[in-house]
Each structure stands twice: as structure tokens, then as C-alpha cells.
């Protein structure tokens, strides 16, 4: 019988090159499928011409054959949805001379997915409100066909030159293979979305208390609950929940005199808001490693390469047709045997597929990290609303300043955690919080809060706009009595936008080794060698890695300059905030770093000096000063390390001890530092931090050993009696892990 061939051409409904439409003498169609081209290869022997390099099976030389290409071409739009089975007679021409060579008989059926041709584009589901758009990934390239994560460019105003470029690319079809698209959608995206759906179901059950299992100690529990231990940080089903989050409030009272007003000092502590469950290695073939900051830089780099590849392909196609016309050749297409254009087109395929892969990778990673950062920020804000009476007016006007103080090292997986946290924290600038009395009805799709005496429900809405990042509005329903007595009047009337900052200083042995390597360059001293051996010992016994259910890959070279870059970014943002709250005189000198920058506010002068001189140093004073400035500006502090229990404990207790002596106005300048250290030690031994360690990993010890303590800043050194010591593989702690 007659052979049947089925194929699925791309249907174009808009953005068609005008030159293509000129072939239609009547009104052009509202859609374009393209031409069906049938090529016939005709081989005829050239008389008397032998091939000196080829032989037949008998050993004699073969005769060189001459090849002619005959071609039949006709537009498919003409036959769309025609209910006929008649045999078509299609003229066949010589591709070089254009001479008619005969006719080709075939039967053709062209079926469109919809009967209304002009509404074919209605099948496309808008990406507005989709994950990539919701997570703030920008529309960077309209030529990465097909569109998986943003809308088609007909919905976006384009410059004429850009519009023509899109038309040129659109004419060339899709730049992904069927195999890639099937695998990427069915395996990667579907699997990720299935995980998210399962996660939502488990969270909903947890909110209804239907999945609570209270028989397990907290450090072993993997159910979604109000408290998530740091030992669960690689548990994928909990990846959207921030872990080891605590409000740390210090109450200071001076003497027995009840008329003397006391003081409160609050911080939020937590583990690093990062996608620990997905890890920090490559997630697809030839993909980059690291956290979001690095991944999104690679996405931008691949975008530039993709745009260059687009340009090269467009130029090569144009040159081909120009050359053909110059040689008086009749051509309607690019032959598949054109190796140069085929290679350029395949390069576009590779880069387009990589671009789609990394876009989705960044989307899911942003989702997990932002969810954690949002939970932490809301915790910090709610801690502050009932303790600050002087700042709410400024919060409404300028935003709520949240200063994240990170204690991670810029090496190995911790560098990836910094990169994740930086993006997730930056996304908080698009969040506004509205406090509402529960006397009013809760919005549709609000979620009940079952474990709080004051918070009754939460509702989050996302406003997606065409050109701007998604804006998130968080509405919190508060019990009426608490809302009336504890919520300041300005906060009842208006939403408050977050103003997030991230300062980051590595304070452990890995960061010390990294700085020593950078400063010593290639002439490492024996002490640096000792550092390197202790960072990644064969016995795996370092206290700071005891154990998070995964080991750090500390063989990766540390990036010490990235911390300076992060801190400079935070300084510029904090400077903007300080100038907005309390403008300074224009007569002051300005900072010029390439481009003219905003004047450094006097309240930031000391912090600015610390950051400028921080390259190659473990300068904890940056975090100390940033926290002090944030408090002066009415902001809140969030302290985090990898787990939120060891380095975090050292830092927050030092801050508390400093506050005590600021409140008491200690006048003994010579001994005040010693008194601060002594009070910090008492808080580390007798305060809440050791119980928090036990709550997370089952042991009331800080996960440090004596070698690591040697290289920590003096103000952060823990008491020797509280150290876990060299534990991994040892016999001190059985049945439970200690992790950093």
C-alpha cells in the first residue's frame, strides 16, 4: 500500500516576516504552517569518469555518479482542514535550472487542532502567575523558543529592530528537540511539581493536626511542625520551612527598684535560608554548581551566548540567500547538507535547552529559599511590632529594616548557602505585611494558624505585573484584644514593606584558612598547612561538621572577595535607608567608586571603614557594627549560620552581653570588654542556647572542637566545658548526630 508519513509542524499565528506573506496574492492567512518540501535525489553515471579511490565488489574501479535534486514545494495552509481525499498533482522542478521535471502525485491531509484558525493562540496558557514569573525571574530573551516560562512577545511592546529579530527567529521554528522537551517536561518539571503537590498536602494535614506524631524527640521528627530542627535540613519534604527559628529576647532589670524601667533586646536566630535538600552540585548534565547567586550569573552568561548564537544564525541564513540570488539560483530553503548553518542552528538548540534547564532550576530553588526567608522575616517583624513604639510611622513610610547577619564561610557548600540566602533575602523587598483584626472576615483561601494564641490566619496574594517583579501581600489576622492593645496605630492603617539587608562574615576555621591562603599566596606557613589539614581531615572529626547528615565539600577553593562584595551591597542599601530617615547635608563629601555614589551617612562611617579594610581579614566588627546601626535605625536583627545553633549562639550571646552594658551604661571603659566577655560566657553556659542545641540534635553541646576554637575571634569563643570535641567516629555521643 501507499506509505503514510505523519509529522507535526509548528503553527505560527503572529510575528510572521512580511517577506514571507508577500507570496500570498490574496489576503494573507491568519496563521502560517509553512511549506511542505519534497526533495528527490536523481543519480546518473557520468560517462568515462572513474573514481580512483572507490572499487566495486569485483575489485574494479566504480564510475562517479552525478546527482541531481528535484524538488516539489507547496503551502500547507491551502489544504488546512479540507474534507477531501483526492489525489494532488504537484509540479516538480530542477533545483538548479528551475526547469519543470514532471509531476508528483500524493494524498495530503492537514488537520488543525482547532477549527477556528484565527484563535489558535488561545491554546497557549499565560505564564502570568506561573512559578518562574512568580519567583521574579525576568523575561530576558524572547528568542528562546518555545516559550516555557514567559508569555509570547505579542503581549510585550517591542522596538521595530527587536520585533524583526523575533520574526526572523520565529520563522526558523523551535530550538529544542522533541526528546529534550519530553524529558524535561515529563521527568524534571513534572517530578518537581509532584513533590510540591505532596508537600502542600502534608502541610495542610499538619495544620489540621492530622499528621502530628509527638512520640519522637524534636531532633528526630521529620513531620511538618511549627519547629523544624536543623538535623532535618536535607529533608526534601520540609524544604519550604525555615529551620531552627527562635525569637531570642533578653529582659534586663536594674536592681530591686520597681520604678526603674527595664529593657528588652530581641533577635531572631535560624539556620541558613538555603535549598539544602537539593544540594549545591550540578542538577543537570553540564550544569553549574553553587547557590542561586552563582546559578543566576551562569543563566545570564548563557543568555548572552544564546543571543550571540541567534545573531550568528540569522546572519548566516541571510548570507546564504544573498549569495544564492547573486548566483541567480532559485532557492526556497536552507539545504540540510549545509554544514555551516546546521552547526550554528544546533548550537542554538544546545544553548536554548540549557537556558530552559537553568531557568527551571533557579525557579524551584528560589521557591524553596524564598519560602524560608519569608517565614524568618515574618517572625522577626511580629517580634518587633509590640516592642517598638517609636518606629512604626517610619516603617510605614520607608519600610521595615531587617538586617541578616550571616556567619558562613565563603568556601565549599557554605558558599552555596550564602549565594542562596542572598537571593532569597533580596526577594523580601517585594513583600508587604498588613495586620488585620479578626473582627473582619478572613479572605478566601486564607490558612488558619492553629498554634498561636494571637495569630489566627494568614493570607498571601501575589500581584504579577508585566515588567515588574511579583509583589507579595501578606495579610495576618490578629486576635482582636491583642490587635487593639499591642499593635501601633500606624500599623493598623497601612501595610509595611520589608527592607532586607545581608551582611556576611566567615568566623570559623575554614574562613581563617581561606584568608591565610590569600594573604600568604603561594608561600603558606606551617600554621596554614595545619589549618588546611584540620579543615578536611581524613578522620572526619572536626566538630563543626558533626553531623548534618551530609559532609561539606571543603576541597573547593574559597572565594574571600565575595564577602566584601556582599557587605558593600548591604552598606549601600543601608546608607540609602539611613539617608531616607535622616537626610544629611549635601555639603558633606561624596564617595566616588567608579560612578558617583550616595553620601555615606555619619551613622555608617565606622561600618564603612570596617568593610573597606576587610579584604583578607576575619573582621567580626562588620557584623557587630551593622547590628548596632540597624538598632539605631529602628530595624531588627536576624542571626544565622549553617544550622543556627553553634556560631549563631556565640554571636547572639555576645550581642546580648553588649546590650546589657549599654543599658547599664557601664562607665569602666578599661574593664567593660572583659565584663562583656564574662557575661557572654554566662549566657552561653546558663542561657537558652545549649537547650536549643539539644532540641536540634539531641545533645546539649556546641559543635566545636578545641582546634577550631583557637581560630575563632575572641568574642565568639565558647567555654571549653560546652564543646562537643572530636566526636565523629568517637564514643562520646551515641545514637545521635552533632552538626554545625
Amino acid at each position: 500500500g501507499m506509505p503514510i508519513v505523519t509529522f507535526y509542524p509548528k503553527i505560527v499565528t503572529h510575528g510572521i516576516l512580511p517577506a514571507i506573506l508577500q507570496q500570498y496574492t490574496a489576503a494573507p492567512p491568519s496563521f502560517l504552517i509553512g511549506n511542505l518540501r519534497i526533495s528527490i535525489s536523481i543519480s546518473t553515471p557520468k560517462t568515462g569518469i572513474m573514481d580512483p579511490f572507490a572499487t566495486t565488489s569485483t575489485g574494479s574501479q566504480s564510475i562517479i555518479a552525478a546527482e541531481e535534486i528535484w524538488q516539489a514545494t507547496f503551502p500547507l495552509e491551502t489544504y488546512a482542514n479540507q474534507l477531501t481525499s483526492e489525489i494532488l498533482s504537484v509540479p516538480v522542478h530542477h533545483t538548479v535550472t528551475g526547469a519543470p521535471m514532471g509531476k508528483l502525485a500524493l494524498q495530503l491531509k492537514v488537520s488543525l487542532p482547532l477549527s477556528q484558525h484565527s484563535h489558535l493562540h488561545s491554546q497557549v496558557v499565560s505564564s502570568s502567575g506561573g512559578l518562574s514569573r512568580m519567583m521574579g525571574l525576568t523575561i530576558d530573551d524572547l528568542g528562546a523558543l518555545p516559550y516555557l516560562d514567559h508569555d509570547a512577545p505579542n503581549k510585550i511592546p517591542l522596538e521595530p529592530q527587536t520585533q524583526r529579530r523575533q520574526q526572523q527567529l520565529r520563522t526558523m521554528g523551535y530550538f529544542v528537540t522533541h526528546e529534550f522537551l519530553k524529558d524535561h517536561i515529563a521527568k524534571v518539571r513534572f517530578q518537581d511539581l509532584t513533590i510540591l503537590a505532596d508537600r502542600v498536602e502534608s502541610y495542610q494535614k499538619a495544620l489540621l493536626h492530622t499528621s502530628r506524631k509527638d512520640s519522637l524527640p524534636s531532633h528526630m521528627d521529620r513531620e511538618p511542625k511549627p519547629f523544624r530542627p536543623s538535623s532535618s535540613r536535607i529533608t526534601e519534604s520540609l524544604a519550604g520551612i525555615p529551620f531552627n527559628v527562635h525569637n531570642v529576647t533578653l529582659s534586663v532589670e536594674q536592681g530591686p527598684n520597681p520604678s526603674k524601667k527595664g529593657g528588652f533586646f530581641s533577635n531572631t536566630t535560624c539556620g541558613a535560608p538555603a535549598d539544602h535538600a537539593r544540594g549545591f552540585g550540578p542538577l543537570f548534565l553540564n550544569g553549574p554548581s553553587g547557590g542561586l547567586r552563582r546559578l543566576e550569573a551562569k543563566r545570564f552568561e548563557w543568555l548572552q551566548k544564546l543571543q550571540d548564537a541567534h545573531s550568528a544564525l540569522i546572519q548566516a541564513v541571510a548570507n546564504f540567500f544573498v549569495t544564492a540570488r547573486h548566483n541567480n539560483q532559485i532557492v526556497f530553503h536552507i539545504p540540510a547538507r549545509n554544514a555551516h548553518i546546521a552547526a550554528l542552528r544546533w548550537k542554538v538548540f544546545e544553548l536554548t535547552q540549557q537556558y530552559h534547564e537553568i531557568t527551571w532550576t533557579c525557579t524551584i530553588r528560589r521557591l524553596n529559599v524564598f519560602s524560608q526567608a519569608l517565614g524568618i522575616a515574618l517572625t522577626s517583624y511580629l517580634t518587633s511590632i509590640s516592642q517598638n513604639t517609636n518606629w512604626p510611622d517610619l516603617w510605614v513610610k520607608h519600610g521595615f529594616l531587617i538586617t541578616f547577619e550571616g556567619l558562613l564561610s565563603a568556601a565549599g557548600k557554605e558558599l552555596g548557602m550564602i549565594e542562596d540566602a542572598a537571593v532569597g533575602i533580596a526577594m523580601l523587598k517585594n513583600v508587604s505585611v498588613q495586620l488585620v483584626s479578626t473582627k473582619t472576615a478572613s479572605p478566601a483561601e486564607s490558612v488558619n494558624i492553629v498554634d498561636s494564641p494571637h495569630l489566627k490566619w494568614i493570607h498571601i496574594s501575589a500581584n504579577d505585573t508585566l515588567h515588574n517583579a511579583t509583589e507579595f501581600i501578606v495579610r495576618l489576622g490578629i486576635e482582636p484584644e491583642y490587635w487593639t492593645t499591642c499593635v501601633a496605630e500606624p500599623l493598623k492603617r497601612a501595610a509595611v514593606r520589608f527592607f532586607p539587608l545581608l551582611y556576611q562574615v566567615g568566623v570559623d576555621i575554614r574562613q581563617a584558612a581561606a584568608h591565610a591562603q590569600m594573604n600568604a599566596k603561594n608561600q603558606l606557613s606551617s600554621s596554614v598547612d595545619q589549618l588546611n589539614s584540620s579543615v578536611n581531615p581524613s578522620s572526619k572529626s572536626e566538630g563543626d561538621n558533626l553531623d548534618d547528615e551530609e559532609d561539606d565539600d571543603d576541597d573547593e577553593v574559597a572565594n574571600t572577595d565575595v564577602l566584601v562584595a556582599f557587605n558593600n551591597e548591604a552598606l549601600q542599601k543601608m546608607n540609602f535607608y539611613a539617608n531616607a530617615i535622616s537626610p544629611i547635608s549635601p555639603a558633606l563629601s561624596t564617595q566616588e567608586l567608579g560612578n558617583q555614589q550616595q553620601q555615606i551617612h555619619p551613622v555608617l562611617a565606622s561600618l564603612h571603614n570596617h568593610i573597606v579594610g576587610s579584604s583578607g581579614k576575619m573582621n567580626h566588627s562588620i557584623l557587630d557594627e551593622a547590628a548596632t546601626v540597624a538598632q539605631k535605625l529602628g530595624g531588627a536583627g536576624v542571626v544565622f549560620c549553617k544550622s543556627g545553633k553553634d556560631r549563631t549562639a556565640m554571636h547572639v550571646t555576645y550581642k546580648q552581653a553588649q546590650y546589657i552594658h549599654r543599658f547599664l551604661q557601664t562607665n569602666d571603659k578599661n574593664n567593660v570588654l572583659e565584663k562583656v566577655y564574662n557575661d557572654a560566657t554566662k549566657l552561653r553556659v546558663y542561657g537558652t542556647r545549649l537547650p536549643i542545641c539539644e532540641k536540634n540534635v539531641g545533645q546539649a553541646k556546641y559543635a566545636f572542637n578545641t582546634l577550631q576554637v583557637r581560630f575563632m575571634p575572641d568574642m565568639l569563643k565558647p567555654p571549653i566545658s560546652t564543646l562537643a570535641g572530636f566526636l565523629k567516629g568517637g564514643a562520646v555521643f551515641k545514637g545521635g548526630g552533632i552538626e554545625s
Side-chain angles (χ1 to χ4, degrees):
M2 185 181 300
I4 299 176
V5 179
T6 303
F7 56 97
Y8 303 90
K10 174 189 174 186
I11 302 174
V12 180
T13 60
H14 55 272
I16 304 170
L17 279 173
I20 294 179
L21 295 178
Q22 290 175 2
Q23 64 181 302
Y24 296 93
T25 55
S30 59
F31 63 95
L32 185 67
I33 305 176
N35 293 337
L36 177 63
R37 173 176 55 85
I38 300 175
S39 294
I40 305 171
S41 177
I42 305 296
S43 298
T44 56
K46 288 187 176 181
T47 307
I49 302 179
M50 308 296 292
D51 186 349
F53 299 103
T55 58
T56 64
S57 58
T58 60
S60 61
Q61 288 182 317
S62 62
I63 299 176
I64 294 179
E67 183 183 40
E68 294 183 356
I69 303 297
W70 300 353
Q71 182 174 282
T73 304
F74 54 95
L76 294 174
E77 296 82 14
T78 306
Y79 305 97
N81 282 346
Q82 288 189 3
L83 301 178
T84 178
S85 58
E86 64 184 39
I87 303 297
L88 302 179
S89 179
V90 183
V92 178
H93 296 83
H94 196 287
T95 56
V96 177
T97 64
M101 307 302 293
K103 292 188 177 181
L104 181 67
L106 75 160
Q107 191 175 43
L108 181 67
K109 181 179 181 181
V110 181
S111 299
L112 298 179
L114 292 178
S115 59
Q116 299 297 322
H117 307 166
S118 60
H119 300 291
L120 288 175
H121 60 274
S122 64
Q123 301 176 86
V124 180
V125 178
S126 172
S127 69
S128 297
L131 278 181
S132 293
R133 291 284 295 129
M134 183 179 291
M135 289 299 103
L137 289 170
T138 56
I139 301 175
D140 293 316
D141 184 64
L142 299 178
L145 303 168
Y147 304 118
L148 299 185
D149 298 298
H150 58 74
D151 289 337
N154 66 308
K155 299 183 179 181
I156 302 170
L158 299 176
E159 297 293 332
Q161 184 176 359
T162 304
Q163 184 176 4
R164 177 169 178 79
R165 179 183 176 89
Q166 302 315 313
Q167 291 172 336
Q168 291 169 326
L169 293 171
R170 194 179 293 256
T171 303
M172 300 181 195
Y174 290 145
F175 296 113
V176 297
T177 64
H178 174 74
E179 291 76 13
F180 164 80
L181 202 57
K182 181 179 179 181
D183 185 75
H184 182 64
I185 297 296
K187 294 183 179 180
V188 178
R189 297 201 177 201
F190 182 77
Q191 179 179 348
D192 287 337
L193 294 176
T194 301
I195 291 172
L196 291 177
D198 292 342
R199 188 186 301 175
V200 169
E201 183 179 0
S202 69
Y203 291 2
Q204 289 174 336
K205 289 181 179 179
L207 290 170
L208 297 174
H209 285 212
T210 58
S211 63
R212 291 290 178 88
K213 297 178 182 178
D214 296 323
S215 59
L216 292 174
S218 62
H219 70 280
M220 299 176 64
D221 201 336
R222 296 298 179 265
E223 292 290 316
K225 291 185 177 180
F227 174 75
R228 177 191 173 194
S230 61
S231 55
S232 71
R233 64 187 181 88
I234 63 170
T235 304
E236 190 170 44
S237 62
L238 303 179
I241 304 174
F243 58 92
N244 194 16
V245 181
H246 289 86
N247 287 323
V248 185
T249 300
L250 176 70
S251 174
V252 182
E253 297 180 3
Q254 187 173 6
N257 185 0
S259 63
K260 180 67 175 179
K261 187 178 180 182
F264 291 91
F265 180 70
S266 294
N267 276 263
T268 300
T269 65
C270 58
D275 198 350
H276 303 272
R278 290 172 73 87
F280 302 93
L283 295 178
F284 56 90
L285 184 64
N286 299 320
S289 59
L292 274 168
R293 182 100 161 193
R294 210 182 323 172
L295 293 176
E296 293 183 8
K298 179 60 69 172
R299 178 175 179 261
F300 181 77
E301 176 188 325
W302 284 353
L303 170 65
Q304 301 302 310
K305 291 182 178 180
L306 176 57
Q307 291 174 339
D308 291 343
H310 283 157
S311 299
L313 179 60
I314 291 171
Q315 188 61 51
V317 170
N319 291 342
F320 174 84
F321 284 107
V322 168
T323 302
R325 287 197 298 270
H326 181 75
N327 294 332
N328 296 320
Q329 293 179 329
I330 302 174
V331 293
F332 300 97
H333 68 283
I334 308 292
R337 60 182 178 275
N338 188 310
H340 175 61
I341 292 180
L344 291 175
R345 191 164 186 264
W346 181 244
K347 184 64 176 178
V348 174
F349 268 71
E350 290 180 329
L351 290 169
T352 302
Q353 293 172 177
Q354 286 180 334
Y355 182 74
H356 286 316
E357 284 181 309
I358 199 168
T359 296
W360 182 251
T361 297
C362 293
T363 295
I364 295 297
R365 200 169 195 97
R366 274 192 172 220
L367 179 68
N368 290 331
V369 175
F370 175 63
S371 178
Q372 294 181 40
L374 180 58
I376 296 165
L378 289 173
T379 301
S380 178
Y381 178 63
L382 292 172
T383 305
S384 303
I385 61 173
S386 60
Q387 297 179 2
N388 291 276
T389 57
N390 300 323
W391 296 101
D393 278 317
L394 290 174
W395 294 347
V396 170
K397 185 176 181 180
H398 301 290
F400 178 69
L401 181 67
I402 309 179
T403 301
F404 285 77
E405 303 159 36
L407 297 151
L408 297 167
S409 299
K413 291 180 181 177
E414 289 202 1
L415 176 57
M417 296 174 202
I418 296 173
E419 294 164 338
D420 269 2
V423 174
I425 291 168
M427 291 176 68
L428 293 173
K429 70 180 183 296
N430 300 317
V431 175
S432 297
V433 183
Q434 174 72 66
L435 305 179
V436 181
S437 170
T438 52
K439 285 184 177 180
T440 60
S442 61
E445 299 182 353
S446 60
V447 177
N448 291 331
I449 301 174
V450 295
D451 292 291
S452 172
H454 306 305
L455 301 177
K456 297 305 179 183
W457 52 260
I458 183 171
H459 178 267
I460 303 177
S461 59
N463 300 325
D464 184 22
T465 58
L466 189 60
H467 295 289
N468 299 320
T470 302
E471 300 284 337
F472 296 91
I473 306 295
V474 179
R475 293 178 175 85
L476 286 163
I478 299 179
E479 185 270 330
E481 183 178 351
Y482 188 89
W483 188 80
T484 301
T485 58
C486 297
V487 177
E489 287 299 323
L491 304 183
K492 297 176 181 178
R493 297 190 298 265
V496 172
R497 180 182 290 270
F498 287 150
F499 195 103
L501 304 174
L502 170 62
Y503 288 96
Q504 171 62 49
V505 174
V507 295
D508 69 351
I509 194 170
R510 285 186 293 269
Q511 195 65 58
H515 287 317
Q517 289 172 354
M518 187 184 78
N519 293 332
K521 295 183 180 179
N522 296 323
Q523 299 178 358
L524 300 179
S525 64
S526 60
S527 61
V528 176
D529 293 333
Q530 182 186 22
L531 280 174
N532 289 333
S533 64
S534 64
V535 169
N536 195 20
S538 58
S539 64
K540 299 285 185 182
S541 62
E542 71 278 14
D544 202 34
N545 263 346
L546 306 171
D547 177 37
D548 261 10
E549 303 177 18
E550 68 168 337
D551 294 329
D552 274 348
D553 52 350
D554 294 319
D555 294 332
E556 184 176 338
V557 177
N559 184 350
T560 58
D561 292 334
V562 71
L563 301 185
V564 181
F566 278 123
N567 292 332
N568 270 318
E569 287 181 21
L571 176 70
Q572 297 303 325
K573 294 175 183 177
M574 182 176 270
N575 189 49
F576 176 86
Y577 190 85
N579 276 284
I581 288 180
S582 177
I584 58 176
S585 170
L588 295 178
S589 61
T590 58
Q591 301 292 322
E592 293 188 6
L593 303 172
N595 296 322
Q596 189 173 8
Q597 301 292 316
Q598 190 176 25
Q599 306 171 55
I600 296 298
H601 197 282
V603 75
L604 294 168
S606 179
L607 176 59
H608 175 255
N609 291 335
H610 284 308
I611 294 174
V612 168
S614 64
S615 180
K617 299 178 182 178
M618 187 187 293
N619 191 349
H620 177 264
S621 298
I622 293 174
L623 296 184
D624 192 20
E625 187 66 29
T628 301
V629 173
Q631 187 180 16
K632 292 179 180 178
L633 297 175
V638 176
V639 181
F640 72 92
C641 59
K642 180 166 68 175
S643 69
K645 65 181 183 63
D646 302 309
R647 284 168 280 182
T648 294
M650 301 304 106
H651 180 61
V652 76
T653 49
Y654 177 61
K655 291 176 65 176
Q656 290 173 328
Q658 287 180 304
Y659 174 78
I660 291 172
H661 290 277
R662 284 200 304 270
F663 178 81
L664 298 177
Q665 297 180 338
T666 304
N667 295 320
D668 188 355
K669 301 297 183 183
N670 296 326
N671 297 323
V672 65
L673 189 59
E674 181 181 351
K675 292 180 179 179
V676 168
Y677 285 5
N678 288 338
D679 286 339
T681 297
K682 293 174 184 175
L683 289 167
R684 290 160 186 167
V685 176
Y686 303 109
T688 61
R689 301 313 302 188
L690 283 176
I692 287 176
C693 291
E694 185 173 15
K695 187 178 177 182
N696 278 274
V697 295
Q699 302 294 345
K701 292 286 185 180
Y702 297 122
F704 302 119
N705 59 51
T706 53
L707 178 61
Q708 291 172 314
V709 171
R710 284 177 52 196
F711 296 97
M712 295 176 68
D714 290 339
M715 70 285 294
L716 301 185
K717 290 184 177 179
I720 298 299
S721 63
T722 63
L723 302 185
F726 289 87
L727 293 174
K728 185 172 288 188
V732 179
F733 292 100
K734 296 285 188 180
I738 301 292
E739 48 88 26
S740 171

